[in-house]
């Protein structure tokens, strides 16, 4: 009898859904959606501010210092108290968190927006990464992809391909270089999203870890003469705007909002919702940077937006 009970218990345990595949319902799901939309509003502002900084006197090093110093210094106590929990996480997942949203991702993004407009940055980084997230989830974690998500992500991919292909033919010289860098940044962000979901670290702890490692790497680049700074030549208005967006909103606030959304919605749902960012970034860039939307950019944004609505399951009853 006891053997039968043991076997039954083992069978139930084997069928139990892993924690990282469990999604919130009810108010937890709604709060996760709210955190997701807060995150994409900040991302859109971040893309525009980074484009503004890189096309003026600031360097990628300057923006990196503003981006990673606050979480590294202010959130360090959270990291210290959770050091045992961090040590228990697979080194591969920690590397995915640190590189996926840390310095490698940041330099790819910052260099990319130096050549390509903010609308391209939004579409290629956060428009393409739902595809990369789903690809990683399928390849490494055997996630099942619903038919609706397949259709939605296919539309997202069409939008990205339209933008990238036509920009090669009609965009100004070197725009294609920026597009490639932004696409690489998208893959890194997908690695971060999946790693964060599997690792299960508290949002502030993962943000502190990523910020600390990135700040140490920036200090090394400065000490070895591999990085240059334009902070001395920047206007106070420019610095104030960058501090607000890079340091406070992106450096601190999204560390919580994005991590919370990942925990409640899952990596793939968050990836799909995050693809709304290109639309917001493009709209903000028009009055702030004087950019305009080409016909192919509008077509790409339409495909991405429709694909997001289908793939994200926002209107799915929970």
């Amino acid at each position: 009898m006891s053997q039968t009970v043991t076997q039954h218990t083992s069978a139930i345990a084997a069928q139990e859904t892993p924690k990282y595949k469990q999604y919130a319902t009810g108010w937890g799901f709604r709060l996760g959606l709210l955190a997701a939309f807060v995150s994409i509003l900040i991302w859109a502002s971040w893309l525009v501010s980074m484009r503004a900084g890189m096309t003026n006197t600031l360097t990628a090093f300057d923006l990196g210092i503003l981006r990673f110093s606050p979480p590294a210094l202010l959130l360090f106590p959270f990291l210290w108290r959770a050091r045992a929990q961090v040590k228990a996480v697979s080194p591969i997942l920690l590397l995915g968190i640190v590189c996926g949203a840390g310095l490698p991702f940041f330099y790819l993004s910052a260099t990319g927006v130096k050549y390509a407009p903010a609308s391209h940055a939004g579409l290629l980084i956060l428009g393409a990464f739902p595809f990369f997230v789903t690809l990683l989830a399928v390849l490494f974690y055997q996630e099942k992809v619903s038919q609706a998500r397949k259709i939605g992500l296919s539309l997202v991919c069409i939008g990205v391909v339209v933008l990238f292909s036509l920009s090669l033919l009609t965009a100004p010289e070197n725009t294609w270089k920026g597009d490639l860098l932004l696409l690489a940044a998208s893959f890194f962000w997908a690695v971060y999203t999946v790693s964060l979901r599997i690792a299960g670290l508290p949002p502030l702890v993962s943000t502190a870890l990523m910020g600390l490692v990135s700040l140490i790497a920036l200090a090394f680049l400065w000490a070895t003469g591999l990085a240059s700074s334009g902070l001395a030549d920047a206007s106070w208005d420019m610095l104030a705007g960058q501090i607000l967006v890079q340091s406070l909103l992106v450096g601190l606030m999204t560390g919580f909002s994005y991590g919370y959304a990942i925990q409640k919605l899952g990596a793939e749902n968050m990836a799909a919702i995050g693809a709304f960012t290109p639309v917001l970034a493009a709209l903000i860039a028009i009055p702030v940077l004087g950019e305009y939307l080409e016909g192919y950019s509008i077509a790409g944004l339409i495909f991405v937006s429709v694909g997001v609505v289908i793939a994200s399951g926002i209107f799915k009853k929970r």
Side-chain angles (χ1 to χ4, degrees):
M1 178 68 177
S2 60
Q3 184 177 1
T4 303
V5 173
T6 302
Q7 290 176 348
H8 180 68
T9 304
S10 300
I12 294 176
Q15 295 175 359
E16 185 178 351
T17 304
K19 186 175 180 180
Y20 70 86
K21 292 184 179 181
Q22 298 175 11
Y23 306 140
T25 58
W27 272 106
F29 180 75
R30 296 185 185 95
L31 290 175
L33 281 179
L34 177 61
F37 284 117
V38 168
S39 296
I40 67 174
L41 284 171
I42 296 175
W43 285 340
S45 302
W46 167 67
L47 290 170
V48 173
S49 70
M50 191 160 59
R51 168 73 172 169
M54 288 299 293
T55 53
N56 285 278
T57 60
L58 297 179
T59 65
F61 172 81
D62 297 328
L63 297 177
I65 288 293
L66 295 175
R67 165 69 178 85
F68 296 116
S69 294
L73 301 177
L74 298 179
L75 300 181
F76 181 76
F78 294 95
L79 178 61
W80 180 255
R81 286 197 293 266
R83 59 188 183 279
Q85 186 178 359
V86 173
K87 290 180 180 178
V89 177
S90 166
I92 295 178
L93 293 177
L94 293 179
L95 184 64
I97 291 173
V98 168
C99 292
L103 210 55
F105 165 79
F106 190 85
Y107 264 84
L108 286 169
S109 303
T111 308
V113 296
K114 186 176 182 179
Y115 298 107
S119 59
H120 288 212
L123 192 55
L124 291 174
I125 294 180
L126 295 165
F129 104 109
F131 169 78
F132 289 128
V133 166
T134 301
L135 181 64
L136 291 171
V138 170
L139 290 179
F140 294 101
Y141 302 105
Q142 289 76 52
E143 292 278 3
K144 294 183 179 180
V145 183
S146 67
Q147 187 65 26
R149 188 178 296 279
K150 289 178 182 178
I151 295 172
L153 292 179
S154 296
L155 292 175
V156 170
C157 290
I158 290 173
V160 172
V161 170
V162 167
L163 176 76
F164 188 76
S165 300
L166 295 181
S167 70
L168 283 174
L169 301 175
T170 62
E173 186 180 2
N174 291 328
T175 300
W176 66 271
K177 294 180 181 179
D179 288 345
L180 285 178
L181 291 170
L182 295 171
L183 202 59
S186 176
F187 175 77
F188 270 79
W189 190 258
V191 170
Y192 166 71
T193 300
V194 174
S195 299
L196 186 64
R197 175 65 175 169
I198 305 300
L201 291 174
L204 295 182
V205 173
S206 59
T207 302
L209 174 66
M210 178 264 296
L212 180 62
V213 174
S214 299
L215 188 60
I216 292 173
L218 284 169
F220 173 79
L221 293 175
W222 175 259
T224 55
L226 296 176
S228 60
S229 174
L231 283 173
D233 300 322
S235 67
W236 284 109
D237 290 342
M238 171 65 70
L239 287 178
Q242 293 295 339
I243 289 172
L244 173 63
V245 176
Q246 298 286 348
S247 301
L248 300 180
L249 295 180
V250 179
L252 294 175
M253 186 176 291
T254 54
F256 173 78
S257 63
Y258 187 67
Y260 184 84
I262 287 289
Q263 289 181 350
K264 298 300 181 182
L265 305 180
E268 291 187 84
N269 284 330
M270 183 60 218
I273 296 171
F276 273 121
T277 308
V279 180
L280 295 176
L283 294 176
I284 294 173
I286 293 173
V288 174
L289 300 177
E291 293 184 0
Y292 64 93
L293 290 176
E294 310 92 338
Y296 60 83
S297 294
I298 295 175
L301 289 173
I302 291 174
F303 276 114
V304 167
S305 300
V306 174
V308 165
V309 172
I310 296 174
S312 64
I314 293 175
F315 303 114
K316 183 179 179 181
K317 187 176 180 180
R318 290 276 169 174

